[in-house]
Amino acid sequence: MRLSQAFVPTVKEIPADATIPSHQLMIRAGMVRALAAGVYVFLPLAQKVLARVMRIVREEMDAIGGQELLLPSLSPIELWEQTGRVKAFGDTLFHVKNRPLVLAPTHEEVVCWLARNHISSYKEMPQIWYQIQTKFRNEPRPRSGVLRGRQFLMKDSYSLDRSREGLDRAYDLHAGAYKRIFTRCGIRFFIVGASSGAMGGTGSQEFMMESPSGEDVIALSEDGTYAANLEVATSIVPAAVRVPGGTAIEEVHTPGVKTIDALSAFLKVDTRCLAKSVVYRAGDAHVLVLMMGNDSLNESKLMAVLGTDVRPLEAEKLRELTGADGGSIGPVGLRGFTILADNRLKGANGLISGANRNDYHLRNIDLERDCAIGGYHDLRTVEEGEPSPNGGGNLRIVRGIELGHIFKLGTKYADALGAMFLDENGKESPVIMGSYGIGIERIVACHIEQNHDDNGIVWDRALAPYDVHLIAVSARSAQVTEAAEALYGELGRSGVDVLFDDRKETSPGFKFKDADLLGMPYQVIVGEKNLAAGKIEIKERKTGTRTLVPKADLVATIQNLLS
Ligand code: ATP
Ligand code: MG
């Protein structure tokens, strides 16, 4: 492609709303334009990259026996009502105004509808169906460019099985395919393990990439073998040790002392001897959670234990129930609360906690002896530097972006929509499903997040829109033009995909800047001086390494570099 004719509207200015590198670079490199918030136009360079990603995805999906189909975006709302997902998606679901239809945010319902109508016997399974299709989600405040669009391409696949073993197999096949897809796309990723629970499934893994632009927070072991969302991550921390002697509780006056650190300094004791009380409202119930010292309570873990939403208990209510304010609350003699404690405090004694009387604390508390603990659970949030639970070194807390998700759905959707089949014994059973998604544009944006420098994008060969960026440095020189034109023809004939900067009026400086910004793996630079010596310069974008090769060897050298 000749840059003089190509529609590649590069710009110098970074738009104010583009805050992350991939968003900024995709706009600067003339790849995308925002038509509306979260809605993007993909220009020719971006379309070429998307095509490369989709090709890799299709090859790997086909290799695990996936069959490509195409499901519609318009979907009868009735199906979504039957699975309860009109409510579950809430405002994220786009509704159609003049028909009882929604714009599909994902396709479990439609797949189940297909299975209900066309799969009737165990003999017709297993099946793996996949598509690459546009999804619609009314994401609140999208602000990360194509990483989070309101309309985006997803490869979604669904497995239909007659047994749990079948589902396990389909799931493992997908895990393998996903590893190959992200590896081939040149993305460094990690896998975050099963956070079963809220979604009701039996297993799920997220394929993630570390990035400060990410919205998920993950605990990652040094060696990368442990990765878990902070919401469920655990670590190895020493539990409380019982101290000898069963000393009776005594009250201590602690005027104005409200925080754990202040209390520890005031009483000259280690923070680990202090039991901090955190109070919540959970529906109509009141919950007091005891945490060791400065450990921070993990609300997600608490919600998982209680099976319901929680919110902090209002100050007035707390005073009404305990007669004291936050900072002086404790588990001894407390009424009207369910008391839970973090595992770390299991069986602890010699503890100090609030006296439920402002400016007073109690010491020598023995949780077993003095309190009615309703249960010990893992309720703490892990911290940077704590040992990983699997022995993989210390934990780092990083931000991540979800690239893909594999999920054992089980029979949840088949039950709701009546997708049944007759098993070997003639018994009717619900189809066992798995669902597996990958964001196509998100792969592109993530690739750029990981592969760029101050000057622009640094494409990996697998995704680069072109293999080579050929630059006729001074297109006013007849020799340069003639040599560059000849190379353009030869490279093209030998199967190399070339973007040719043949622009006549553009200065060499601009051409070099654009070549770095667009980021093709190799730049072939045809300059007057080198040409006079029979040489052509090759610059590797990634390393900046420049080599001079005889003009006659150029095509072979490039072919070598690309193979
Ligand atoms: P996220 O937590 O980032 O919102 P999700 O859990 O909603 O993702 P899934 O429903 O599992 O995502 O969708 C499968 C894949 O589709 C995701 O792993 C991601 O790569 C991609 N994806 C999801 N939402 C978007 C979006 N708004 N824009 C672009 N890609 C998306
Ligand atoms: Mg989402």
Side-chain angles (χ1 to χ4, degrees):
M1 183 77 210
R2 290 170 184 276
L3 208 42
S4 62
Q5 287 156 26
F7 182 42
V8 183
T10 55
V11 286
K12 264 193 279 179
E13 309 74 36
I14 299 169
D17 65 332
T19 52
I20 65 168
S22 58
H23 190 191
Q24 295 173 345
L25 286 168
M26 288 179 88
I27 290 176
R28 283 184 51 210
M31 292 176 69
V32 297
R33 290 293 183 265
L35 178 62
V39 182
Y40 290 89
V41 173
F42 289 83
L43 302 177
L45 273 191
Q47 182 61 16
K48 286 201 79 170
V49 182
L50 289 174
R52 297 212 178 204
V53 172
M54 290 190 275
R55 182 169 168 192
I56 292 172
V57 170
R58 285 197 168 96
E59 284 173 3
E60 295 300 341
M61 286 308 300
D62 291 345
I64 62 165
Q67 304 164 74
E68 186 168 1
L69 43 59
L70 186 61
L71 305 169
S73 289
L74 288 171
S75 187
I77 194 165
E78 197 194 326
L79 289 178
W80 298 79
E81 264 153 7
Q82 283 173 37
T83 57
R85 288 220 286 185
V86 173
K87 199 161 160 240
F89 271 101
D91 199 37
T92 305
L93 191 64
F94 277 111
H95 290 254
V96 174
K97 234 178 173 173
N98 54 351
R99 288 270 167 200
L101 296 168
V102 296
L103 289 176
T106 171
H107 280 83
E108 282 82 5
E109 277 76 357
V110 180
V111 166
C112 254
W113 172 89
L114 256 184
R116 181 173 77 195
N117 293 314
H118 299 285
I119 300 283
S120 52
S121 155
Y122 72 93
K123 290 179 195 147
E124 292 156 337
M125 289 184 283
Q127 293 286 329
I128 294 175
W129 298 339
Y130 81 94
Q131 62 173 345
I132 295 180
Q133 201 257 21
T134 303
K135 300 286 187 268
F136 297 87
R137 292 182 185 181
N138 188 21
E139 302 276 4
R141 295 178 299 283
R143 57 185 164 74
S144 307
V146 306
L147 271 178
R148 185 174 295 289
R150 287 192 168 136
Q151 164 175 343
F152 61 95
L153 287 169
M154 193 199 287
K155 184 293 295 173
D156 47 326
S157 43
Y158 305 88
S159 59
L160 308 180
D161 277 281
R162 61 196 209 198
S163 67
R164 287 275 154 191
E165 297 70 49
L167 172 61
D168 291 347
R169 190 168 166 272
Y171 182 89
D172 293 344
L173 284 173
H174 277 87
Y178 277 33
K179 286 179 202 159
R180 288 186 291 275
I181 288 169
F182 298 126
T183 304
R184 285 181 64 186
C185 287
I187 292 177
R188 295 178 295 282
F189 65 94
F190 58 88
I191 300 172
V192 178
S195 77
S196 49
M199 299 281 290
T202 47
S204 105
Q205 280 168 308
E206 289 171 349
F207 289 73
M208 305 205 80
M209 177 192 102
E210 185 178 339
S211 161
S213 315
E215 293 173 21
D216 291 280
V217 185
I218 292 118
L220 200 60
S221 68
E222 256 163 286
D223 70 354
T225 55
Y226 177 81
N229 198 299
L230 202 63
E231 293 176 354
V232 296
T234 60
S235 62
I236 298 170
V237 282
V241 273
R242 273 189 85 80
V243 292
T247 334
I249 288 186
E250 43 178 82
E251 199 172 58
V252 270
H253 190 210
T254 50
V257 176
K258 297 232 181 293
T259 65
I260 289 291
D261 286 333
L263 188 61
S264 146
F266 185 82
L267 298 176
K268 302 193 174 51
V269 294
D270 192 286
T271 54
R272 276 181 290 178
C273 301
L274 309 177
K276 178 173 66 180
S277 304
V278 200
V279 283
Y280 282 96
R281 177 189 282 284
D284 291 332
H286 310 115
V287 183
L288 177 137
V289 185
L290 286 175
M291 301 296 302
M292 181 191 278
N294 273 320
D295 282 1
S296 91
L297 173 90
N298 190 316
E299 288 189 358
S300 305
K301 289 183 179 178
L302 179 62
M303 288 193 264
V305 165
L306 296 172
T308 159
D309 259 14
V310 297
R311 59 191 162 88
L313 187 63
E314 312 80 47
E316 311 83 72
K317 190 71 194 174
L318 182 62
R319 202 171 309 125
E320 183 193 315
L321 287 165
T322 66
D325 294 316
S328 302
I329 309 298
V332 180
L334 189 71
R335 259 180 284 269
F337 281 82
T338 302
I339 305 176
L340 300 178
D342 180 57
N343 276 342
R344 222 181 161 183
L345 288 173
K346 207 172 216 156
N349 67 347
L351 288 173
I352 298 167
S353 195
N356 297 320
R357 177 178 171 205
N358 280 352
D359 293 335
Y360 284 88
H361 281 82
L362 300 181
R363 66 159 106 230
N364 303 329
I365 299 173
D366 184 332
L367 291 188
E368 306 284 88
R369 183 191 68 189
D370 306 321
C371 317
I373 305 291
Y376 292 92
H377 302 274
D378 169 30
L379 294 168
R380 75 186 284 281
T381 308
V382 302
E383 279 173 32
E384 178 96 23
E386 289 172 358
S388 164
N390 75 342
N394 291 344
L395 295 177
R396 288 193 303 131
I397 311 288
V398 303
R399 291 194 152 265
I401 299 172
E402 179 188 319
L403 291 154
H405 195 179
I406 56 176
F407 202 84
K408 292 183 188 176
L409 293 175
T411 61
K412 184 175 160 187
Y413 292 91
D415 287 335
L417 291 167
M420 310 295 283
F421 71 98
L422 289 180
D423 68 14
E424 292 90 326
N425 308 314
K427 199 178 124 253
E428 217 175 38
S429 308
V431 170
I432 301 172
M433 277 177 64
S435 127
Y436 319 87
I438 289 186
I440 302 295
E441 294 100 331
R442 203 174 271 193
I443 288 185
V444 177
C446 284
H447 181 87
I448 297 174
E449 288 288 320
Q450 279 187 345
N451 300 285
H452 70 270
D453 60 21
D454 290 346
N455 300 322
I457 302 171
V458 184
W459 290 112
D460 199 278
R461 166 101 204 277
L463 299 198
Y466 294 92
D467 304 322
V468 163
H469 192 125
L470 172 66
I471 304 171
V473 177
S474 166
R476 293 222 182 99
S477 144
Q479 289 93 327
V480 166
T481 304
E482 196 185 312
E485 287 286 345
L487 286 175
Y488 180 49
E490 277 175 61
L491 283 166
R493 280 192 295 281
S494 65
V496 179
D497 217 355
V498 184
L499 182 64
F500 178 23
D501 194 345
D502 60 338
R503 292 175 296 180
K504 292 260 180 293
E505 306 304 326
T506 310
S507 75
F510 269 110
K511 289 187 175 180
F512 295 142
K513 276 212 162 66
D514 271 354
D516 278 354
L517 174 62
L518 300 185
M520 303 324 149
Y522 294 99
Q523 297 170 14
V524 170
I525 302 165
V526 186
E528 236 171 335
K529 234 176 81 199
N530 286 333
L531 192 62
K535 302 269 166 108
I536 306 287
E537 189 176 47
I538 299 174
K539 175 180 158 184
E540 190 187 16
R541 174 66 181 91
K542 194 173 193 163
T543 57
T545 315
R546 293 165 187 274
T547 31
L548 281 177
V549 295
K551 188 163 147 266
D553 298 348
L554 191 274
V555 175
T557 309
I558 288 290
Q559 277 180 320
N560 250 333
L561 288 170
L562 292 174
S563 64

